[in-house]
Amino acid sequence: MSKIPPFDLSEQYKIIGDEVNAAVLAVLASGRYIGGDHVEGFEQQFAAYIDTSECIACNSGTDALFLALRALHIGPGDEVITTPFTFIATAEVISAVGATPVFVDIEAYTFNLNLDQVEAAITERTRAIMPVHLFGQPVEMPRLMAIAQQHQLTVVEDCAQAVGAEWADQKVGGIGHIGCFSFYPTKNLGACGDGGAVTTNDPEIAATIRMLRDHGRRAGGYYHEAIGVNSRLDALQAAILQVKLRYLDTWNSQRRAVADRYRHLLQHVPGIVLPQEPVGGKGVWNQYTLRIPSTDQQTEQDQHCRRDQVRQHLQADGVSSMVYYPLPLHLQPIYQAQKQQLGQHLIAEQAANEVLSLPMFPELSPDVQDRVVYSLKDCLAGVIV
Ligand SMILES: *Cc1c(COP(=O)(O)O)cnc(C)c1O
């Protein structure tokens, strides 16, 4: 039997290939490859989609986060509160601008920042809070905004995995002060290469980010008012994203259907904890990530035992699965110097040992999904002691 991949971008290309090809050829024929109508058009359409007044396209999700912090003049001596259970980019950009990431533990069921613990981490050096809508599940933004407002902090949302997710009918990226998106190919809205965007309702922040993304100049001249970067989005990627944006809601609801079906098929299986959508939020399921807790006995011997065993069994059956993320950021070599140690953020550490992401993409067919579920149930029956 054929191998089941964690995601499959070729299926999507089969459906929209003609439109993507036409968009690419139009850009090639136009002779305008940087900036221009496609980039501006995409920025307008994406701002309308998120419901913000401004969108600034850039080269990657990492750059979107970096540019946001730069525009807020966050730097040495400043602290930014974020989660230790995320892709490195979230904390990396905080360090890259010279500030210090302050990690706050996650909650067990959504894998998102535990809002009960945010206030205790605020000091007089804190400048911003950077929540991550992990795996496509939204953080409870109204509550976080209330905390931020009380302490006069700025909220920069890392929406890289959650384009289209909502809290109370508002899209993430339009609730905090600044939203940062990635168009890495495996994100829900993926380019055919790297890409990213920043959304905001603040015209001044938007103007600063536009200036910083293009060598610290305004409107393309040779007068530079800040040390910027080159982080422009290619016209080719913008044209492809314009095509794909039209399909995003359909794809997100297909992901939802896949998630519903996983829940339906797996809800009574012992030995696993299924992901949950937070009450009040609407997720977009960039990943379907369940937890496979180790038994107490195994935890003492080998923390990784049960999840890794299951993963190997799936692999042997030709079913790919992924571990996002095997080591929380506070335990990464780069943050060891910062008095970060084992046992500091227990829920994140436990998640790192227990998470397993099953194949998830809009075109995942019921037949293939059945094979994943069959194989998982089979392994679980075998490895439970
Ligand atoms: C993908 C991702 C990023 C970085 O986006 P790139 O476009 O790859 O630079 C940042 N944060 C999170 C949570 C991500 O998943």
Side-chain angles (χ1 to χ4, degrees):
M1 265 193 286
S2 63
K3 202 166 169 285
I4 302 174
F7 47 81
D8 187 350
L9 295 169
S10 64
E11 288 293 322
Q12 187 189 78
Y13 184 72
K14 279 182 207 154
I15 300 165
I16 59 164
D18 288 347
E19 278 178 274
V20 168
N21 293 352
V24 166
L25 291 176
V27 173
L28 292 180
S30 77
R32 177 104 201 240
Y33 305 138
I34 300 277
D37 291 348
H38 290 286
V39 174
E40 280 163 29
F42 174 71
E43 286 181 336
Q44 280 164 18
Q45 288 153 9
F46 195 69
Y49 180 79
I50 300 299
D51 196 18
T52 53
S53 58
E54 309 276 350
C55 167
I56 310 96
C58 62
N59 207 256
S60 69
T62 306
D63 277 2
L65 294 163
F66 176 78
L67 290 167
L69 295 183
R70 282 286 315 274
L72 295 169
H73 304 287
I74 290 175
D78 295 333
E79 294 177 353
V80 177
I81 293 172
T82 193
T83 162
F85 197 62
T86 174
F87 181 58
I88 186 65
T90 317
E92 191 179 36
V93 295
I94 299 171
S95 303
V97 300
T100 304
V102 173
F103 299 113
V104 166
D105 208 357
I106 56 167
E107 29 169 61
Y109 291 96
T110 60
F111 304 109
N112 281 335
L113 208 55
N114 186 335
L115 300 190
D116 289 337
Q117 296 180 17
V118 167
E119 273 193 295
I122 296 173
T123 71
E124 67 273 20
R125 288 168 174 261
T126 309
R127 291 282 317 281
I129 307 174
M130 232 156 114
V132 179
H133 307 290
L134 201 72
F135 304 145
Q137 301 293 351
V139 169
E140 188 179 350
M141 287 303 292
R143 208 175 135 212
L144 183 63
M145 294 311 289
I147 297 170
Q149 197 176 5
Q150 208 182 336
H151 297 270
Q152 293 180 309
L153 301 174
T154 306
V155 173
V156 178
E157 297 177 72
D158 183 339
C159 308
Q161 301 183 6
V163 60
E166 295 174 3
W167 194 281
D169 295 329
Q170 259 190 300
K171 289 215 167 61
V172 301
I175 311 176
H177 300 97
I178 304 182
C180 299
F181 292 85
S182 164
F183 305 126
Y184 185 80
T186 62
K187 308 291 160 107
N188 290 28
L189 177 63
C192 297
D194 277 310
V198 182
T199 52
T200 183
N201 285 310
D202 185 325
E204 245 174 79
I205 288 177
T208 306
I209 291 175
R210 275 202 183 92
M211 180 263 288
L212 290 171
R213 92 171 154 182
D214 191 20
H215 301 292
R217 61 181 166 184
R218 291 183 203 263
Y222 290 93
Y223 176 77
H224 304 274
E225 59 185 270
I227 303 289
V229 290
N230 171 359
S231 187
R232 300 172 298 231
L233 181 72
D234 289 346
L236 277 173
Q237 299 303 345
I240 293 166
L241 288 166
Q242 282 184 298
V243 171
K244 289 197 176 190
L245 183 58
R246 297 199 284 272
Y247 290 88
L248 179 60
D249 284 339
T250 307
W251 289 332
N252 278 346
S253 50
Q254 285 173 301
R255 284 177 185 270
R256 248 182 126 64
V258 172
D260 285 347
R261 199 156 178 277
Y262 268 135
R263 168 159 288 279
H264 174 72
L265 296 170
L266 292 169
Q267 61 187 342
H268 299 303
V269 176
I272 56 176
V273 182
L274 299 181
Q276 282 177 22
E277 212 168 29
V279 178
K282 191 171 171 194
V284 290
W285 300 98
N286 181 246
Q287 299 295 337
Y288 191 86
T289 303
L290 42 79
R291 289 194 294 136
I292 304 184
S294 289
T295 61
D296 291 346
Q297 211 184 0
Q298 279 176 329
T299 313
E300 275 169 33
Q301 292 163 3
D302 175 3
Q303 296 206 333
H304 304 264
C305 201
R306 201 148 161 268
R307 188 266 318 273
D308 289 352
Q309 255 179 292
V310 170
R311 195 166 179 223
Q312 275 164 21
H313 282 246
L314 290 173
Q315 192 74 35
D317 278 354
V319 177
S320 308
S321 61
M322 303 293 277
V323 174
Y324 303 117
Y325 297 90
L327 188 64
L329 300 191
H330 65 286
L331 301 178
Q332 293 288 347
I334 44 166
Y335 292 123
Q336 298 266 293
Q338 212 189 292
K339 285 186 288 165
Q340 306 279 344
Q341 37 189 272
L342 195 71
Q344 217 166 21
H345 303 298
L346 278 173
I347 308 296
E349 289 166 27
Q350 195 182 349
N353 288 332
E354 297 182 353
V355 284
L356 191 70
S357 299
L358 300 182
M360 166 54 89
F361 45 94
E363 301 80 14
L364 187 68
S365 70
D367 281 2
V368 174
Q369 203 179 4
D370 285 345
R371 254 183 73 199
V372 175
V373 168
Y374 180 84
S375 170
L376 179 64
K377 282 181 169 173
D378 195 43
C379 312
L380 285 167
V383 295
I384 292 170
V385 226

